[in-house]
């Protein structure tokens, strides 16, 4: 939204994840007061949900304050994600070009995605594994989350594990 020049526009509604972007939990809807009021009073998933716990709200707020003071952190995460993407695609894997910190790498099947994630874990690398029903049939994948504090050596080691343990089609 910021990159498109729409931040703060009066008729723009934004959903934001607090878990992936700010290391917290849950999410938020940002927009005009009339939209928020409508959601509070009519959205079943909001009405029947439990509010965020105070620690999660505090963590998200602390992360926002940190990003305001040090905006280069966000840029570093994107740089690391693009580095992962570039190395994985150069190795012949089908990775999705990241918009932010998440890099997805396609697996041939749900079973192979589960095995691949387990093999990565056995080699000391934790990766997410997504398969149906959380993704559509035919798009099982590993999900990697870049961090701004990763060194080039750590990124290279992660790529090595992913490539070395990749299933053969």
């Amino acid at each position: 939204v910021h990159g498109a020049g729409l931040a703060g526009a009066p008729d723009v509604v934004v959903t934001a994840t607090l878990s992936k972007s700010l290391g917290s939990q849950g999410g938020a809807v940002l927009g005009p007061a009339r939209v928020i009021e409508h959601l509070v009073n009519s959205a079943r998933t909001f009405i029947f949900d439990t509010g965020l716990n105070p620690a999660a709200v505090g963590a998200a707020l602390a992360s926002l304050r940190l990003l305001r003071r040090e905006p280069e952190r966000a840029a570093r995460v994107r740089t690391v994600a693009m580095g992962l993407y570039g190395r994985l695609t150069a190795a012949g894997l089908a990775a999705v070009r990241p918009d932010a910190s998440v890099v997805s790498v396609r697996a041939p099947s749900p079973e192979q995605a589960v095995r691949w994630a387990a093999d990565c874990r056995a080699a000391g690398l934790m990766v997410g594994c997504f398969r149906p029903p959380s993704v559509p049939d035919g798009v099982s994948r590993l999900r990697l989350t870049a961090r701004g504090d990763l060194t080039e050596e750590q990124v290279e080691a992660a790529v090595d594990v992913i490539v070395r343990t990749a299933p053969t089609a």
Side-chain angles (χ1 to χ4, degrees):
V1 173
H2 183 268
L6 297 172
D11 294 323
V12 173
V13 177
V14 177
T15 59
T17 174
L18 302 179
S19 58
K20 294 168 191 70
S21 58
L22 299 174
S24 183
Q25 76 176 51
V29 177
L30 312 168
R34 67 185 187 284
V35 173
I36 303 304
E37 182 178 340
H38 172 72
L39 291 174
V40 166
N41 291 306
S42 64
R44 288 179 49 86
T45 54
F46 181 80
I47 293 169
F48 297 109
D49 196 8
T50 302
L52 295 178
N53 69 63
V57 174
L61 185 57
S63 293
L64 284 171
R65 288 176 177 152
L66 179 66
L67 285 172
R68 183 169 277 153
R69 281 192 319 268
E70 301 176 29
E72 67 278 1
R73 285 178 178 257
R76 172 69 182 141
V77 169
R78 287 189 293 275
T79 297
V80 171
M82 284 302 295
L84 279 167
Y85 165 77
R87 286 180 168 109
L88 292 166
T89 56
L93 297 177
V96 177
R97 182 178 169 81
D99 291 328
S101 65
V102 175
V103 180
S104 292
V105 186
R106 192 165 211 147
S109 71
E111 298 77 21
Q112 287 173 308
V114 171
R115 181 78 237 162
W116 195 5
D119 290 345
C120 286
R121 188 172 38 260
L125 180 67
M126 296 295 295
V127 297
C129 177
F130 289 79
R131 62 207 182 277
S134 62
V135 296
D137 286 336
V139 292
S140 295
R141 61 191 66 239
L142 296 187
R143 186 172 172 157
L144 318 172
T145 303
R147 294 191 342 239
D149 64 342
L150 294 176
T151 65
E152 288 298 318
E153 293 77 23
Q154 290 170 317
V155 170
E156 197 60 47
V159 169
D160 177 63
V161 168
I162 294 163
V163 170
R164 183 169 28 92
T165 59
T168 53

